[in-house]
Amino acid sequence: MAADLALPGGHRDVVGHELRTPLNFIVGYGSLLADGAYGELPPGAREAVARILDGADRLARLVDDLLTVSQLAGGGVPVVPAPVDCGELVRGLVLEFEPQARGLGLGLTHEAPSTGPTLHTDPQRLREALRHLLGNALKFTPRGGAVHLAAAGEGRCVRFVVRDTGIGIPKACQRRIFDRFYQVDGGLTRRYGGAGLGLAIARGQIEALGGTIEVASEPACGACFTVTVPVVRR
């Protein structure tokens, strides 16, 4: 199954270019319309343009996820280690997701040391993995619930925990949630959107850093994802 989405680097670049170029046109001209470059739009047209731009943004994110999945499936993921202050990383992610949490009527809290611990790993890949976990937690937590992100050093590793009070995951599904395209509530009429790539990407990124990701959950009792990353990637 790993090879079915794998593309050689050159082919992946070409596919990425061909997918992104029309998207750039849609976003570019849509933004010009929204900004009134071609004249003032009536209210109905403004709403239509806003929906076009929102759809283009979601499609762009899906394209990025598909290309990332292809890269991870093909192996040889480039990892560029650099110092990462875990407390700073956690606080930055909370600031990034706070507006979304407020819009969904959710509480978003965090716990991390004021300084350190410091990892020597790929900050982009670690941040992307945690972004997917946070986005997933917000997505599956009903209004009035809460999401919590924490980080702490444990010997030669740093442990990140993303905990929510959401709908939870049945035990029978927990072994498959990291599979590509898998949805617990699968089917055309599923309540929650998404292509089922976020958790697969999170696992792939963390494993590329030499770390692990685990889940503990019960239906209607929320979920807890634990990411463990070595202080120095070997």
Side-chain angles (χ1 to χ4, degrees):
M1 293 297 291
D4 57 357
L5 282 176
L7 289 170
H11 290 268
R12 188 165 53 243
D13 292 342
V14 171
V15 170
H17 174 76
E18 291 299 317
L19 288 170
R20 289 191 179 103
T21 297
L23 272 172
N24 290 339
F25 277 110
I26 294 170
V27 173
Y29 281 104
S31 298
L32 288 172
L33 285 169
D35 292 340
Y38 299 106
E40 187 65 23
L41 297 176
R46 286 199 298 270
E47 181 179 348
V49 170
R51 291 185 178 183
I52 289 171
L53 290 173
D54 179 66
D57 178 67
R58 286 188 284 115
L59 184 55
R61 282 185 273 120
L62 177 58
V63 168
D64 287 341
D65 285 349
L66 286 169
L67 293 173
T68 299
V69 165
S70 173
Q71 181 187 50
L72 292 168
V77 176
V79 175
V80 184
V84 180
D85 185 304
C86 297
E88 184 177 317
L89 173 62
V90 166
R91 289 185 289 274
L93 286 168
V94 169
L95 284 174
E96 177 183 343
F97 280 89
E98 268 183 347
Q100 180 181 347
R102 284 199 303 271
L104 294 171
L106 302 174
L108 179 58
T109 57
H110 71 281
E111 181 181 356
S114 57
T115 58
T118 299
L119 288 168
H120 193 71
T121 192
D122 190 317
Q124 180 178 343
R125 297 199 176 280
L126 177 57
R127 189 177 294 109
E128 182 178 5
L130 293 174
R131 277 191 182 123
H132 278 293
L133 293 178
L134 279 172
N136 199 67
L138 293 172
K139 175 180 173 181
F140 291 104
T141 301
R143 182 173 292 272
V147 174
H148 183 73
L149 171 63
E154 292 191 0
R156 295 186 176 183
C157 295
V158 173
R159 180 165 292 182
F160 297 88
V161 176
V162 178
R163 181 181 291 108
D164 65 62
T165 60
I167 61 175
I169 306 165
K171 285 196 176 295
C173 301
Q174 290 177 20
R175 292 203 306 177
R176 295 194 59 197
I177 59 172
F178 295 105
D179 293 348
R180 297 186 303 264
F181 304 112
Y182 180 74
Q183 292 275 9
V184 173
D185 57 336
L188 295 176
T189 59
R190 67 177 186 263
R191 177 180 174 187
Y192 301 94
L197 293 174
L199 292 180
I201 291 173
R203 181 179 67 176
Q205 300 286 35
I206 293 303
E207 288 181 349
L209 302 180
T212 60
I213 181 169
E214 299 175 342
V215 61
S217 181
E218 294 284 349
C221 295
C224 179
F225 287 84
T226 301
V227 170
T228 304
V229 181
V231 171
V232 178
R233 181 185 180 275
R234 300 185 183 280

